[in-house]
Amino acid sequence: MVLPEIYKRLSESEVAARIWAAKEKLGKEMVILGHHYMSDAVIQFADYRGDSLELSRRAAQASEARYIVFCGVHFMAETASILSRSDQIVVIPDVRAGCIMADMAETDEVERAWADLDALWPGDVTPITYVNSVASLKAFCGAHGGIACTSSNAAKICRWALERTGHVLFVPDQNLGANTALAMGIPADEIMIWNPSRPYGGNPNIEEARFIVWRGFCNVHVQFAIEHVIAVRARYPDIQIVVHPECTPDVVALADANGSTSYIVRYVREAPAGAKIAVGTEANLVYRLAKECPDKTVIPLADSYCVSMERINPWNLLRSVESILAGEPVEQVSVPSEIREPAKIALERMLGAS
Ligand code: SF4
């Protein structure tokens, strides 16, 4: 829904005052969840901030709140809706805040890939979907013995899958999938990328595959390149480089550490005073960490922002909270029950296994 002019004309300080007032009036009836990649202007209003896994747990635990306002992208709000009670209402300040990576794996394409792989290895492939995916894909995994994962628990979930079947189909992020498989010691020649427009995903030697990763990626994290690593090391020879596993495997291999958004936050906060750290993840989070840790040098490996996350701003957040206050919440996110139930199975398997 287009933001009404009446909101656009407000100054940032007027908007902030009205959001705080609405929060005060709604009290525990409303909880605001904020992803780490939100701007400072938005994250200040979050009751809880975190990465996908932490916010999934918060959504499942938000028992007192009737309204969950999700400051993040659409698949996150869908996840909150799947895990929340049926009487809770999930709202996102802008429903157009999608995710480029999630859009790279259409459920019917994944179903076709699954059918090919199941014909090759009957009953011996576990589908794993990164939570950065549409609800119908989570539902597909839930209905086919599969599971969801986040970047925090991907290794644990992949081990869970490989204890059950000889093969994994990992969607939609090829980089998180490949980095996790490589870290688990799976040989590179047993990890294959599935291109949905080619027979057998473009892998004539598919019989040798053990870990099949979908050809998707995060536009924010693939911006980091070997040249950035070389440049920061030349400028600061004693710098530590920590990156997100959505970065390409060549960048991850050159970094000193890699891990989920929460891992990166801990890595920076727990580093000793005087440490120099370059961070390969979304720039809003990196600059916030730099402000929070003035005793350290914290710089982005390169400036890379998520344009989808940037759709959420204080103006559309105000519209959300005031619509709740008026009893007519706008931009609600709900998932039909035929998708919600199997998707919940994939998510609950993940929460139980991690
Ligand atoms: S950072 Fe990447 S994975 Fe996350 S919402 Fe943006 S495009 Fe999607």
Side-chain angles (χ1 to χ4, degrees), residues 37 73 75 98-101 132 218-221 246 306 308-309:
Y37 296 169
V73 293
F75 73 78
C99 166
I100 293 164
M101 179 204 289
N132 300 25
C218 165
N219 207 34
V220 174
H221 289 98
E246 288 173 17
C306 178
S308 304
M309 294 275 186

Side-chain angles (χ1 to χ4, degrees), residues 20-327:
W20 288 120
K23 272 173 70 78
E24 174 101 29
K25 277 192 201 139
L26 286 160
K28 291 190 171 159
E29 253 198 293
M30 175 182 75
V31 65
I32 299 181
L33 304 179
H35 191 272
H36 281 307
Y37 296 169
M38 288 288 111
S39 66
D40 287 352
V42 171
I43 204 79
Q44 61 174 322
F45 302 110
D47 297 297
Y48 300 102
R49 56 176 85 173
D51 64 9
S52 300
L53 178 60
E54 290 163 334
L55 295 178
S56 301
R57 289 189 196 281
R58 283 289 172 198
Q61 291 162 359
S63 54
E64 287 180 75
R66 171 127 200 268
Y67 304 100
I68 298 170
V69 180
F70 211 114
C71 296
V73 293
H74 194 266
F75 73 78
M76 296 175 181
E78 273 189 337
T79 302
S81 170
I82 292 163
L83 293 173
S84 62
R85 292 191 317 268
S86 55
D87 62 319
Q88 288 177 307
I89 293 172
V90 177
V91 162
I92 187 168
D94 187 340
V95 283
R96 297 169 303 169
C99 166
I100 293 164
M101 179 204 289
D103 292 344
M104 289 178 185
E106 306 234 343
T107 305
D108 59 342
E109 284 182 329
V110 176
E111 282 174 1
R112 281 198 293 277
W114 166 261
D116 286 351
L117 295 171
D118 194 50
L120 206 56
W121 302 299
D124 199 30
V125 187
T126 300
I128 301 177
T129 184
Y130 191 19
V131 285
N132 300 25
S133 58
V134 294
S136 55
L137 195 44
K138 295 183 180 84
F140 173 80
C141 289
H144 290 79
I147 190 165
C149 79
T150 69
S151 52
S152 299
N153 60 23
K156 206 178 268 185
I157 299 299
C158 290
R159 271 194 293 277
W160 178 94
L162 288 169
E163 279 163 13
R164 283 159 181 78
T165 57
H167 306 86
V168 157
L169 171 61
F170 190 99
V171 292
D173 185 13
Q174 66 179 67
N175 294 313
L176 177 63
N179 285 320
T180 305
L182 289 167
M184 289 167 69
I186 296 176
D189 56 5
E190 292 181 14
I191 304 165
M192 294 188 195
I193 297 172
W194 188 274
N195 176 346
S197 56
R198 305 270 300 279
Y200 287 105
N203 301 290
N205 53 345
I206 188 75
E207 288 85 358
E208 291 159 32
R210 192 163 158 223
F211 205 99
I212 297 118
V213 296
W214 195 258
R215 198 181 66 158
F217 55 85
C218 165
N219 207 34
V220 174
H221 289 98
V222 296
Q223 302 302 323
F224 303 108
I226 292 175
E227 294 70 42
H228 298 125
V229 175
I230 294 168
V232 295
R233 288 212 196 279
R235 187 160 167 218
Y236 305 98
D238 54 344
I239 202 159
Q240 296 289 302
I241 298 179
V242 59
V243 301
H244 194 281
E246 288 173 17
C247 295
T248 55
D250 54 357
V251 169
V252 169
L254 288 178
D256 296 291
N258 76 89
S260 67
T261 309
S262 294
Y263 172 89
I264 290 172
V265 169
R266 279 198 307 277
Y267 186 97
V268 173
R269 286 188 183 149
E270 291 171 9
K276 297 186 183 74
I277 307 166
V279 184
T281 195
E282 212 272 347
N284 273 305
L285 174 59
V286 184
Y287 286 117
R288 184 174 311 124
L289 287 170
K291 261 193 258 169
E292 284 174 13
C293 304
D295 57 335
K296 302 162 202 172
T297 302
V298 180
I299 58 167
L301 187 55
D303 270 347
S304 187
Y305 289 91
C306 178
V307 291
S308 304
M309 294 275 186
E310 283 186 345
R311 280 197 176 272
I312 310 300
N313 58 49
W315 286 265
N316 51 34
L317 175 57
L318 174 62
R319 190 258 314 260
S320 289
V321 298
E322 289 194 342
S323 73
I324 290 170
L325 208 49

